[in-house]
mmCIF file of all heavy atoms in Angstrom:
data_model
loop_
_atom_site.group_PDB
_atom_site.id
_atom_site.type_symbol
_atom_site.label_atom_id
_atom_site.label_comp_id
_atom_site.label_asym_id
_atom_site.label_seq_id
_atom_site.Cartn_x
_atom_site.Cartn_y
_atom_site.Cartn_z
ATOM 1 N N ALA A 1 -7.392 -22.207 -18.722
ATOM 2 C CA ALA A 1 -8.104 -21.226 -19.514
ATOM 3 C C ALA A 1 -9.027 -21.982 -20.524
ATOM 4 O O ALA A 1 -10.148 -21.642 -20.737
ATOM 5 C CB ALA A 1 -7.263 -20.236 -20.212
ATOM 6 N N ASP A 2 -8.523 -23.034 -21.155
ATOM 7 C CA ASP A 2 -9.352 -23.674 -22.235
ATOM 8 C C ASP A 2 -9.315 -25.163 -22.249
ATOM 9 O O ASP A 2 -9.782 -25.829 -23.144
ATOM 10 C CB ASP A 2 -8.848 -23.079 -23.662
ATOM 11 C CG ASP A 2 -7.447 -23.323 -23.867
ATOM 12 O OD1 ASP A 2 -6.769 -24.132 -23.130
ATOM 13 O OD2 ASP A 2 -6.884 -22.807 -24.838
ATOM 14 N N GLY A 3 -8.688 -25.882 -21.209
ATOM 15 C CA GLY A 3 -8.592 -27.265 -21.187
ATOM 16 C C GLY A 3 -7.545 -27.880 -22.191
ATOM 17 O O GLY A 3 -7.567 -29.113 -22.382
ATOM 18 N N GLY A 4 -6.662 -27.113 -22.866
ATOM 19 C CA GLY A 4 -5.829 -27.624 -23.744
ATOM 20 C C GLY A 4 -4.694 -28.467 -23.087
ATOM 21 O O GLY A 4 -4.486 -28.381 -21.950
ATOM 22 N N PHE A 5 -4.272 -29.609 -23.818
ATOM 23 C CA PHE A 5 -3.239 -30.450 -23.306
ATOM 24 C C PHE A 5 -1.911 -29.866 -23.414
ATOM 25 O O PHE A 5 -1.526 -29.408 -24.464
ATOM 26 C CB PHE A 5 -3.417 -31.837 -24.141
ATOM 27 C CG PHE A 5 -2.437 -32.902 -23.549
ATOM 28 C CD1 PHE A 5 -3.033 -33.896 -22.783
ATOM 29 C CD2 PHE A 5 -1.199 -32.960 -24.040
ATOM 30 C CE1 PHE A 5 -2.184 -34.926 -22.250
ATOM 31 C CE2 PHE A 5 -0.320 -34.024 -23.564
ATOM 32 C CZ PHE A 5 -0.863 -34.935 -22.684
ATOM 33 N N GLY A 6 -1.104 -29.916 -22.389
ATOM 34 C CA GLY A 6 0.210 -29.393 -22.399
ATOM 35 C C GLY A 6 1.214 -30.250 -21.588
ATOM 36 O O GLY A 6 0.785 -31.137 -20.853
ATOM 37 N N LEU A 7 2.474 -30.100 -21.822
ATOM 38 C CA LEU A 7 3.532 -30.765 -21.167
ATOM 39 C C LEU A 7 4.500 -29.735 -20.506
ATOM 40 O O LEU A 7 4.752 -28.764 -21.118
ATOM 41 C CB LEU A 7 4.400 -31.589 -22.093
ATOM 42 C CG LEU A 7 3.588 -32.779 -22.760
ATOM 43 C CD1 LEU A 7 4.460 -33.463 -23.919
ATOM 44 C CD2 LEU A 7 3.177 -33.807 -21.715
ATOM 45 N N LEU A 8 4.910 -29.985 -19.221
ATOM 46 C CA LEU A 8 5.807 -29.121 -18.632
ATOM 47 C C LEU A 8 7.159 -28.916 -19.280
ATOM 48 O O LEU A 8 7.608 -29.801 -20.007
ATOM 49 C CB LEU A 8 6.017 -29.538 -17.189
ATOM 50 C CG LEU A 8 4.829 -29.665 -16.188
ATOM 51 C CD1 LEU A 8 5.220 -30.076 -14.835
ATOM 52 C CD2 LEU A 8 4.120 -28.305 -16.104
ATOM 53 N N ALA A 9 7.722 -27.740 -19.099
ATOM 54 C CA ALA A 9 8.975 -27.476 -19.748
ATOM 55 C C ALA A 9 10.132 -28.153 -18.912
ATOM 56 O O ALA A 9 9.959 -28.673 -17.816
ATOM 57 C CB ALA A 9 9.241 -25.943 -19.687
ATOM 58 N N ALA A 10 11.281 -28.333 -19.620
ATOM 59 C CA ALA A 10 12.323 -29.095 -19.014
ATOM 60 C C ALA A 10 12.821 -28.491 -17.676
ATOM 61 O O ALA A 10 13.338 -29.307 -16.758
ATOM 62 C CB ALA A 10 13.450 -29.167 -20.005
ATOM 63 N N ASP A 11 12.727 -27.160 -17.508
ATOM 64 C CA ASP A 11 13.282 -26.633 -16.295
ATOM 65 C C ASP A 11 12.192 -26.452 -15.262
ATOM 66 O O ASP A 11 12.442 -25.950 -14.172
ATOM 67 C CB ASP A 11 13.840 -25.206 -16.504
ATOM 68 C CG ASP A 11 12.843 -24.234 -17.132
ATOM 69 O OD1 ASP A 11 11.667 -24.675 -17.474
ATOM 70 O OD2 ASP A 11 13.199 -23.132 -17.412
ATOM 71 N N GLN A 12 11.097 -27.108 -15.442
ATOM 72 C CA GLN A 12 10.016 -27.114 -14.449
ATOM 73 C C GLN A 12 10.063 -28.439 -13.606
ATOM 74 O O GLN A 12 10.536 -29.449 -14.185
ATOM 75 C CB GLN A 12 8.744 -26.927 -14.970
ATOM 76 C CG GLN A 12 8.469 -25.472 -15.623
ATOM 77 C CD GLN A 12 7.063 -25.361 -16.182
ATOM 78 O OE1 GLN A 12 6.692 -25.980 -17.145
ATOM 79 N NE2 GLN A 12 6.251 -24.532 -15.561
ATOM 80 N N THR A 13 9.600 -28.358 -12.367
ATOM 81 C CA THR A 13 9.699 -29.589 -11.516
ATOM 82 C C THR A 13 8.673 -30.640 -11.917
ATOM 83 O O THR A 13 7.466 -30.246 -12.078
ATOM 84 C CB THR A 13 9.478 -29.231 -10.026
ATOM 85 O OG1 THR A 13 10.436 -28.218 -9.675
ATOM 86 C CG2 THR A 13 9.613 -30.445 -9.180
ATOM 87 N N GLN A 14 9.118 -31.827 -12.142
ATOM 88 C CA GLN A 14 8.187 -32.935 -12.583
ATOM 89 C C GLN A 14 7.900 -33.780 -11.293
ATOM 90 O O GLN A 14 8.802 -34.068 -10.545
ATOM 91 C CB GLN A 14 8.920 -33.900 -13.598
ATOM 92 C CG GLN A 14 9.634 -33.187 -14.713
ATOM 93 C CD GLN A 14 8.696 -32.500 -15.669
ATOM 94 O OE1 GLN A 14 7.518 -32.817 -15.764
ATOM 95 N NE2 GLN A 14 9.157 -31.492 -16.384
ATOM 96 N N HIS A 15 6.714 -34.051 -11.065
ATOM 97 C CA HIS A 15 6.204 -34.737 -9.849
ATOM 98 C C HIS A 15 5.635 -36.140 -10.154
ATOM 99 O O HIS A 15 5.703 -36.993 -9.293
ATOM 100 C CB HIS A 15 5.079 -33.926 -9.211
ATOM 101 C CG HIS A 15 5.550 -32.612 -8.688
ATOM 102 N ND1 HIS A 15 6.307 -32.393 -7.514
ATOM 103 C CD2 HIS A 15 5.332 -31.317 -9.200
ATOM 104 C CE1 HIS A 15 6.560 -31.128 -7.374
ATOM 105 N NE2 HIS A 15 6.061 -30.486 -8.329
ATOM 106 N N GLY A 16 5.210 -36.415 -11.338
ATOM 107 C CA GLY A 16 4.526 -37.637 -11.736
ATOM 108 C C GLY A 16 5.382 -38.499 -12.616
ATOM 109 O O GLY A 16 6.583 -38.844 -12.395
ATOM 110 N N ILE A 17 4.808 -38.844 -13.701
ATOM 111 C CA ILE A 17 5.498 -39.743 -14.572
ATOM 112 C C ILE A 17 6.738 -39.048 -15.254
ATOM 113 O O ILE A 17 7.777 -39.765 -15.581
ATOM 114 C CB ILE A 17 4.559 -40.165 -15.776
ATOM 115 C CG1 ILE A 17 5.075 -41.414 -16.512
ATOM 116 C CG2 ILE A 17 4.208 -39.049 -16.816
ATOM 117 C CD1 ILE A 17 4.138 -42.042 -17.446
ATOM 118 N N GLY A 18 6.782 -37.771 -15.271
ATOM 119 C CA GLY A 18 7.936 -37.048 -15.665
ATOM 120 C C GLY A 18 9.094 -37.285 -14.783
ATOM 121 O O GLY A 18 10.346 -37.190 -15.216
ATOM 122 N N ALA A 19 8.856 -37.518 -13.469
ATOM 123 C CA ALA A 19 9.976 -37.819 -12.482
ATOM 124 C C ALA A 19 10.275 -39.307 -12.555
ATOM 125 O O ALA A 19 11.379 -39.691 -12.082
ATOM 126 C CB ALA A 19 9.565 -37.408 -11.166
ATOM 127 N N TRP A 20 9.471 -40.154 -12.896
ATOM 128 C CA TRP A 20 9.534 -41.634 -12.901
ATOM 129 C C TRP A 20 10.290 -42.089 -14.104
ATOM 130 O O TRP A 20 10.808 -43.232 -14.045
ATOM 131 C CB TRP A 20 8.267 -42.330 -12.797
ATOM 132 C CG TRP A 20 7.360 -41.899 -11.650
ATOM 133 C CD1 TRP A 20 7.634 -41.219 -10.589
ATOM 134 C CD2 TRP A 20 5.929 -42.238 -11.604
ATOM 135 N NE1 TRP A 20 6.574 -41.085 -9.800
ATOM 136 C CE2 TRP A 20 5.485 -41.675 -10.408
ATOM 137 C CE3 TRP A 20 5.048 -42.897 -12.386
ATOM 138 C CZ2 TRP A 20 4.116 -41.812 -9.954
ATOM 139 C CZ3 TRP A 20 3.752 -43.162 -11.908
ATOM 140 C CH2 TRP A 20 3.302 -42.476 -10.746
ATOM 141 N N THR A 21 10.465 -41.325 -15.057
ATOM 142 C CA THR A 21 11.002 -41.684 -16.390
ATOM 143 C C THR A 21 12.460 -41.297 -16.589
ATOM 144 O O THR A 21 12.800 -40.084 -16.291
ATOM 145 C CB THR A 21 10.096 -41.168 -17.597
ATOM 146 O OG1 THR A 21 8.831 -41.499 -17.373
ATOM 147 C CG2 THR A 21 10.669 -41.654 -18.859
ATOM 148 N N ARG A 22 13.288 -42.192 -17.114
ATOM 149 C CA ARG A 22 14.676 -41.993 -17.351
ATOM 150 C C ARG A 22 14.973 -42.293 -18.833
ATOM 151 O O ARG A 22 14.646 -43.409 -19.219
ATOM 152 C CB ARG A 22 15.585 -42.652 -16.371
ATOM 153 C CG ARG A 22 15.523 -42.314 -14.934
ATOM 154 C CD ARG A 22 16.084 -40.911 -14.784
ATOM 155 N NE ARG A 22 16.088 -40.407 -13.357
ATOM 156 C CZ ARG A 22 15.068 -39.881 -12.801
ATOM 157 N NH1 ARG A 22 13.953 -39.486 -13.605
ATOM 158 N NH2 ARG A 22 15.019 -39.469 -11.586
ATOM 159 N N LEU A 23 15.571 -41.373 -19.571
ATOM 160 C CA LEU A 23 15.915 -41.663 -20.944
ATOM 161 C C LEU A 23 17.372 -42.120 -21.030
ATOM 162 O O LEU A 23 18.304 -41.761 -20.244
ATOM 163 C CB LEU A 23 15.816 -40.380 -21.785
ATOM 164 C CG LEU A 23 14.380 -39.820 -21.943
ATOM 165 C CD1 LEU A 23 14.373 -38.494 -22.445
ATOM 166 C CD2 LEU A 23 13.451 -40.713 -22.698
ATOM 167 N N SER A 24 17.716 -42.976 -22.081
ATOM 168 C CA SER A 24 19.104 -43.494 -22.184
ATOM 169 C C SER A 24 19.985 -42.417 -22.745
ATOM 170 O O SER A 24 21.204 -42.580 -22.682
ATOM 171 C CB SER A 24 19.052 -44.765 -23.106
ATOM 172 O OG SER A 24 18.601 -44.427 -24.399
ATOM 173 N N ALA A 25 19.410 -41.420 -23.286
ATOM 174 C CA ALA A 25 20.291 -40.302 -23.921
ATOM 175 C C ALA A 25 19.457 -38.954 -23.583
ATOM 176 O O ALA A 25 18.270 -38.819 -23.739
ATOM 177 C CB ALA A 25 20.519 -40.419 -25.336
ATOM 178 N N GLY A 26 20.223 -37.935 -23.134
ATOM 179 C CA GLY A 26 19.720 -36.629 -22.948
ATOM 180 C C GLY A 26 19.740 -35.639 -24.165
ATOM 181 O O GLY A 26 18.993 -34.668 -24.159
ATOM 182 N N THR A 27 20.604 -35.904 -25.088
ATOM 183 C CA THR A 27 20.729 -35.166 -26.318
ATOM 184 C C THR A 27 20.908 -36.170 -27.503
ATOM 185 O O THR A 27 21.400 -37.266 -27.268
ATOM 186 C CB THR A 27 21.945 -34.185 -26.275
ATOM 187 O OG1 THR A 27 23.107 -35.018 -26.037
ATOM 188 C CG2 THR A 27 21.804 -33.226 -25.174
ATOM 189 N N VAL A 28 20.572 -35.675 -28.687
ATOM 190 C CA VAL A 28 20.740 -36.472 -29.881
ATOM 191 C C VAL A 28 20.890 -35.526 -31.042
ATOM 192 O O VAL A 28 20.265 -34.495 -31.073
ATOM 193 C CB VAL A 28 19.583 -37.449 -30.107
ATOM 194 C CG1 VAL A 28 18.385 -36.720 -30.318
ATOM 195 C CG2 VAL A 28 19.850 -38.473 -31.299
ATOM 196 N N VAL A 29 21.902 -35.836 -31.960
ATOM 197 C CA VAL A 29 22.159 -35.059 -33.118
ATOM 198 C C VAL A 29 21.718 -35.975 -34.367
ATOM 199 O O VAL A 29 22.217 -36.987 -34.589
ATOM 200 C CB VAL A 29 23.590 -34.633 -33.224
ATOM 201 C CG1 VAL A 29 23.762 -33.941 -34.590
ATOM 202 C CG2 VAL A 29 24.032 -33.828 -32.027
ATOM 203 N N LEU A 30 20.787 -35.454 -35.221
ATOM 204 C CA LEU A 30 20.366 -36.294 -36.276
ATOM 205 C C LEU A 30 20.746 -35.624 -37.694
ATOM 206 O O LEU A 30 20.627 -34.354 -37.782
ATOM 207 C CB LEU A 30 18.806 -36.355 -36.282
ATOM 208 C CG LEU A 30 18.177 -37.023 -35.051
ATOM 209 C CD1 LEU A 30 16.685 -36.991 -35.104
ATOM 210 C CD2 LEU A 30 18.715 -38.443 -34.907
ATOM 211 N N PRO A 31 21.204 -36.454 -38.571
ATOM 212 C CA PRO A 31 21.513 -35.886 -40.000
ATOM 213 C C PRO A 31 20.275 -35.585 -40.670
ATOM 214 O O PRO A 31 19.172 -35.910 -40.252
ATOM 215 C CB PRO A 31 22.387 -36.938 -40.603
ATOM 216 C CG PRO A 31 21.792 -38.241 -39.880
ATOM 217 C CD PRO A 31 21.494 -37.901 -38.430
ATOM 218 N N ALA A 32 20.470 -34.963 -41.758
ATOM 219 C CA ALA A 32 19.175 -34.626 -42.583
ATOM 220 C C ALA A 32 18.510 -35.857 -42.891
ATOM 221 O O ALA A 32 19.121 -36.930 -43.360
ATOM 222 C CB ALA A 32 19.539 -33.835 -43.895
ATOM 223 N N GLY A 33 17.162 -35.901 -42.638
ATOM 224 C CA GLY A 33 16.307 -37.144 -43.009
ATOM 225 C C GLY A 33 16.548 -38.340 -42.052
ATOM 226 O O GLY A 33 16.025 -39.384 -42.261
ATOM 227 N N GLY A 34 17.478 -38.045 -40.979
ATOM 228 C CA GLY A 34 17.788 -39.227 -40.111
ATOM 229 C C GLY A 34 16.859 -39.339 -38.908
ATOM 230 O O GLY A 34 16.066 -38.515 -38.604
ATOM 231 N N SER A 35 17.057 -40.523 -38.235
ATOM 232 C CA SER A 35 16.146 -40.783 -37.037
ATOM 233 C C SER A 35 17.065 -41.567 -36.011
ATOM 234 O O SER A 35 17.967 -42.202 -36.399
ATOM 235 C CB SER A 35 14.907 -41.560 -37.394
ATOM 236 O OG SER A 35 15.189 -42.783 -37.918
ATOM 237 N N ALA A 36 16.552 -41.619 -34.835
ATOM 238 C CA ALA A 36 17.215 -42.326 -33.675
ATOM 239 C C ALA A 36 16.144 -42.766 -32.868
ATOM 240 O O ALA A 36 15.250 -42.220 -32.539
ATOM 241 C CB ALA A 36 18.157 -41.372 -32.941
ATOM 242 N N ASP A 37 16.482 -44.067 -32.266
ATOM 243 C CA ASP A 37 15.576 -44.640 -31.260
ATOM 244 C C ASP A 37 16.242 -44.524 -29.928
ATOM 245 O O ASP A 37 17.486 -44.869 -29.712
ATOM 246 C CB ASP A 37 15.275 -46.159 -31.600
ATOM 247 C CG ASP A 37 14.468 -46.365 -32.804
ATOM 248 O OD1 ASP A 37 13.699 -45.472 -33.064
ATOM 249 O OD2 ASP A 37 14.593 -47.360 -33.492
ATOM 250 N N VAL A 38 15.524 -43.965 -28.917
ATOM 251 C CA VAL A 38 16.094 -43.710 -27.545
ATOM 252 C C VAL A 38 15.270 -44.447 -26.579
ATOM 253 O O VAL A 38 14.057 -44.190 -26.460
ATOM 254 C CB VAL A 38 16.109 -42.202 -27.322
ATOM 255 C CG1 VAL A 38 16.619 -41.936 -25.898
ATOM 256 C CG2 VAL A 38 16.898 -41.396 -28.268
ATOM 257 N N ALA A 39 15.932 -45.429 -25.993
ATOM 258 C CA ALA A 39 15.174 -46.207 -24.895
ATOM 259 C C ALA A 39 14.999 -45.427 -23.633
ATOM 260 O O ALA A 39 15.641 -44.406 -23.322
ATOM 261 C CB ALA A 39 16.071 -47.459 -24.529
ATOM 262 N N PHE A 40 13.863 -45.745 -22.938
ATOM 263 C CA PHE A 40 13.657 -45.100 -21.637
ATOM 264 C C PHE A 40 12.975 -46.146 -20.695
ATOM 265 O O PHE A 40 12.433 -47.199 -21.143
ATOM 266 C CB PHE A 40 12.658 -43.896 -21.851
ATOM 267 C CG PHE A 40 11.309 -44.224 -22.351
ATOM 268 C CD1 PHE A 40 10.231 -44.597 -21.407
ATOM 269 C CD2 PHE A 40 11.024 -44.097 -23.728
ATOM 270 C CE1 PHE A 40 9.013 -44.739 -21.894
ATOM 271 C CE2 PHE A 40 9.768 -44.366 -24.193
ATOM 272 C CZ PHE A 40 8.710 -44.668 -23.270
ATOM 273 N N THR A 41 13.047 -45.817 -19.446
ATOM 274 C CA THR A 41 12.429 -46.731 -18.389
ATOM 275 C C THR A 41 11.506 -45.849 -17.604
ATOM 276 O O THR A 41 11.744 -44.650 -17.302
ATOM 277 C CB THR A 41 13.478 -47.362 -17.516
ATOM 278 O OG1 THR A 41 14.238 -46.395 -16.905
ATOM 279 C CG2 THR A 41 14.415 -48.323 -18.299
#
């Protein structure tokens, strides 16, 4: 409709780079003001 940039939802089928990528963690819990680094390939 307008050329906006979007990303597919988690329950949609990924065909390109979304299918080629693997994260080292699927969930993360962060404390207030905290951060975490998650590796991916």
Side-chain angles (χ1 to χ4, degrees):
D2 59 9
F5 184 96
L7 296 170
L8 295 182
D11 58 355
Q12 293 180 292
T13 303
Q14 314 291 338
H15 297 282
I17 197 169
W20 305 346
T21 304
R22 294 290 181 271
L23 298 169
S24 61
T27 59
V28 63
V29 178
L30 299 179
S35 63
D37 293 331
V38 178
F40 66 86
T41 60

